[in-house]
Amino acid sequence: MSRKAKMNNKGFSLVELIIVVAIMAILAGVMIPQFVKYLGNSKKSADLSQAESIANAVSSLYAEDMTKGSTTTGMNYDGSTHPVDVSVVNALNMGNSQPKPKVSGTSFQYLLDPTNGEVKVYVDTTAIYPDPSGTDWAN
């Protein structure tokens, strides 16, 4: 065999493959935590958007009841928290499906203050609307 034939080896050496795998591991180690953080933030944004929609629906139903002078929606305005009921789901145009939080928690709840018409929305006992900044949920 000639010397040229021996030097014409094609392919990667073991060292080159190990270097590539090491670089990919470093990139994965940097990117995976960022992806998890991004995923968590997107779930929080989705829940905040849903909470805003719930608050708008409750406010709308409350305004409708006040203009009619009765509680035709069947909503309770006692100033305590209530689960999202059928009338709110209908106002959200969600069909028969209850809105479910994407962040840990079992359900959305709302509180309507009848003295000023202000609506607060909770995921379980954590207030997320109108201002989630003071809670652990927003971090």
Side-chain angles (χ1 to χ4, degrees), residues 20-89:
V20 168
V21 169
I23 290 170
M24 290 175 64
I26 291 169
L27 288 174
V30 169
M31 296 304 292
I32 289 174
Q34 294 299 318
F35 178 73
V36 170
K37 183 179 176 183
Y38 171 77
L39 208 56
N41 287 341
S42 68
K43 287 180 180 182
K44 288 178 183 178
S45 294
D47 282 352
L48 187 58
S49 174
Q50 185 67 56
E52 186 175 1
S53 296
I54 290 169
N56 289 337
V58 169
S59 294
S60 172
L61 292 169
Y62 177 69
E64 182 180 322
D65 278 353
M66 292 304 108
T67 57
K68 291 181 179 178
S70 65
T71 56
T72 56
T73 61
M75 293 174 64
N76 193 340
Y77 308 117
D78 59 4
S80 60
T81 57
H82 296 281
V84 175
D85 59 5
V86 175
S87 58
V88 177
V89 171

Side-chain angles (χ1 to χ4, degrees), residues 121-139:
V121 180
Y122 299 82
V123 171
D124 287 340
T125 57
T126 305
I128 65 169
Y129 182 85
D131 182 22
S133 63
T135 66
D136 289 339
W137 182 88
N139 296 329

